[in-house]
Amino acid sequence: MKLYLILPMLLWCLNSSAQKYNFEKEYKGIEPKVIDWRRDFHQNPELSNREFNTAEKIASHLKSLGIEVQTGVAKTGVVGILKGNRNGKVIALRADIDALPVTERNDLPFKSTVTSEFLGQEVGVMHACGHDTHTAILMGVAEILSKNRDKIKGTVKFIFQPAEEGPPPGEEGGALLMVKEGVLKNPDVDAIFGLHINSSTPVGVIRYKSEGLMAAVQRFVIKVEGKQTHGSQPWKGIDPILISAKIIDGLQTIISREVDLTNEAAVISVGKITSGVRFNIIPESAEMIGTIRTLDYDMQKQITERMKEMVPDIAKTYGGTATIEIKSNTDITFNKPELVTQMLPTLNRVAGKENVQIQKAVTGGEDFSYFQNEVPGFFFFLGGMTPGNTSSFPHHTPDFSIDENGMILGVKALTEMSLDFLNN
């Protein structure tokens, strides 16, 4: 038979097989549960590496479904293993479970009033990035798939990951620690899927990008040493605050004058400066902390090398000294093109082709990237904004909120992506 006749038949068979799931009754039944779980997690958030009660609720739910459960993974993580009735490949699904040191301003019946200690300070705690929705969505997926083992050819591994926002200083955590502890082994994972709800994407819409979707994140610390003097006699000292200002100005020229931004976006931002104790004293030292965001590893290398050259040279020009330390927080969230191509028909089916849209790369970071360094992965954005809204509050802010009507599409997408990947 001619190839041009065979291919349409194969595609029809794949699509026809996928249509047989017919889970609309299950989706309708699970949606209220997913919303209730999300509200419970939202009202009772826990910071990174401290998600003890969250983990207990997740583990209890998975055990009630007859899923094999592992706890204490990467400190507070939970892993569920669901084996289908037939042997096959292994797909992993990941949800992050930690909250942020943010005091909520939303007027909700399930508003968080939780407080905790963060870096020695009393802070409010809030799910200000949507991890509560991710956790509830994956619990819903687990329930549906556990009741349909006969449709699973292979194994589904549910990864509930702590500390996506980063472990506390001096601790390990997050996806990197999970990988280190072998979460993608026994059974060995063939591919991994993940999603992130988005407050500026309308409900019902899924956005994705092949290859680099989210930036590599690096943290830098610059320490400047000058010479203390009276504020009325700056010529008798060396001003570390002035040097810090010149360094900040210089760093921005790397982005604006040295890096080819037509290739990919890049950002250098200083988020904190600490120096001085009194209005009339020029201090002896200053410290700056900031972030570097890149979507291309060659650009990352160019930027970090120039920063290491520039910082001490600028300080020397003004009579002081400076050191810089750069550490990686996440790698580039890289969607393997072949996997994206394979799974797009599933997303088009569950959301409607017109609602599956290409996303430009963003300079936010995701430690899901560490899973993708080990196995092929596909990470996408799920709409959480009420349709018709013209504005929304950003993630990581006290006013962040999502429309809960968007969560069921996440359940549908991860459920059917898993089955399509395993069965086809």
Side-chain angles (χ1 to χ4, degrees):
M1 186 177 291
K2 301 289 186 181
L3 182 61
Y4 68 86
L5 294 176
I6 295 174
L7 288 176
M9 290 174 63
L10 288 173
L11 290 171
W12 180 86
C13 289
L14 292 176
N15 189 55
S16 176
S17 173
Q19 294 286 1
K20 291 180 181 178
Y21 303 137
N22 193 25
F23 287 152
E24 289 312 308
K25 184 177 179 180
E26 284 93 335
Y27 293 144
K28 187 175 181 180
I30 204 71
E31 185 173 17
K33 292 184 181 181
V34 171
I35 291 173
D36 284 345
W37 292 328
R38 181 260 165 164
R39 292 182 177 183
D40 181 39
F41 290 132
H42 190 88
Q43 197 165 23
N44 300 281
E46 295 175 295
L47 294 174
S48 300
N49 278 359
R50 305 292 185 268
E51 310 93 332
F52 304 110
N53 293 328
T54 302
E56 186 176 334
K57 293 172 185 177
I58 295 166
S60 177
H61 175 66
L62 296 181
K63 289 176 183 177
S64 74
L65 301 174
I67 293 174
E68 178 187 338
V69 176
Q70 301 169 355
T71 58
V73 183
K75 299 188 183 295
T76 51
V78 179
V79 177
I81 299 174
L82 175 64
K83 295 180 180 178
N85 290 351
R86 296 170 290 162
N87 293 329
K89 293 179 288 188
V90 180
I91 186 68
L93 307 175
R94 176 272 209 164
D96 36 13
I97 67 175
D98 55 327
L100 286 157
V102 174
T103 301
E104 183 162 14
R105 276 200 297 250
N106 292 312
D107 185 18
L108 298 170
F110 51 93
K111 172 183 177 178
S112 170
T113 58
V114 173
T115 60
S116 187
E117 183 180 297
F118 181 73
L119 299 180
Q121 297 183 28
E122 188 76 9
V123 295
V125 184
M126 176 189 175
H127 272 292
C129 200
H131 296 186
D132 50 345
T133 68
H134 306 163
T135 304
I137 285 169
L138 193 54
M139 288 170 64
V141 174
E143 182 161 331
I144 291 176
L145 289 177
S146 70
K147 295 176 180 178
N148 290 276
R149 292 174 189 254
D150 60 312
K151 295 181 175 65
I152 301 173
K153 182 183 177 183
T155 300
V156 183
K157 184 176 281 192
F158 303 95
I159 299 175
F160 292 87
Q161 179 209 309
E164 190 281 326
E165 300 292 354
E171 297 183 23
E172 290 185 282
L176 193 60
L177 183 56
M178 282 198 135
V179 170
K180 183 178 177 180
E181 292 186 359
V183 75
L184 300 176
K185 303 292 184 181
N186 301 317
D188 294 354
V189 170
D190 292 291
I192 186 166
F193 299 144
L195 58 76
H196 204 303
I197 203 154
N198 186 264
S199 65
S200 60
T201 298
V203 164
V205 172
I206 288 173
R207 289 181 176 156
Y208 75 97
K209 182 181 180 296
S210 188
E211 299 185 337
L213 172 68
M214 301 183 75
V217 178
Q218 294 172 289
R219 178 180 185 268
F220 65 85
V221 177
I222 297 173
K223 295 182 178 181
V224 180
E225 294 294 330
K227 181 181 177 183
Q228 187 163 316
T229 186
H230 198 289
S232 66
Q233 297 175 311
W235 55 86
K236 290 188 176 181
I238 297 170
D239 189 345
I241 295 177
L242 172 66
I243 294 172
S244 297
K246 297 296 183 180
I247 288 174
I248 293 171
D249 187 48
L251 294 180
Q252 296 311 314
T253 65
I254 298 174
I255 299 299
S256 66
R257 290 295 180 269
E258 298 186 29
V259 176
D260 183 0
L261 297 178
T262 62
N263 180 24
E264 291 285 3
V267 174
I268 301 174
S269 293
V270 175
K272 182 181 180 182
I273 302 178
T274 305
S275 185
V277 293
R278 187 176 166 82
F279 78 99
N280 62 350
I281 300 174
I282 292 176
E284 190 168 68
S285 62
E287 181 181 82
M288 292 177 279
I289 302 174
T291 185
I292 309 163
R293 305 296 174 109
T294 47
L295 287 148
D296 177 274
Y297 286 119
D298 288 336
M299 291 173 67
Q300 182 188 76
K301 182 180 179 183
Q302 178 190 0
I303 290 168
T304 56
E305 286 182 352
R306 283 294 289 134
M307 290 177 70
K308 290 175 182 178
E309 293 170 356
M310 185 178 286
V311 166
D313 286 351
I314 291 175
K316 184 178 180 181
T317 298
Y318 292 93
T321 60
T323 61
I324 179 169
E325 180 183 8
I326 301 174
K327 291 186 177 180
S328 292
N329 281 31
T330 70
D331 287 337
I332 296 170
T333 306
F334 187 89
N335 289 327
K336 189 170 183 179
E338 295 86 351
L339 185 60
V340 173
T341 299
Q342 180 183 351
M343 302 317 304
L344 269 181
T346 306
L347 294 182
N348 289 337
R349 184 179 72 245
V350 299
K353 190 172 182 179
E354 70 282 3
N355 295 317
V356 180
Q357 303 168 0
I358 295 177
Q359 166 80 43
K360 291 183 179 180
V362 298
T363 49
E366 244 292 347
D367 77 350
F368 186 82
S369 57
Y370 290 125
F371 298 123
Q372 291 174 308
N373 286 348
E374 306 297 321
V375 298
F378 185 8
F379 192 80
F380 58 92
F381 293 120
L382 175 70
M385 180 179 72
T386 303
N389 275 12
T390 56
S391 63
S392 60
F393 291 103
H395 294 239
H396 290 219
T397 65
D399 305 295
F400 169 81
S401 65
I402 61 99
D403 187 328
E404 294 173 329
N405 291 315
M407 292 193 293
I408 192 60
L409 178 57
V411 176
K412 294 178 181 179
L414 291 181
T415 299
E416 302 201 18
M417 287 172 74
S418 299
L419 291 174
D420 283 357
F421 178 85
L422 294 175
N423 296 334
N424 296 328

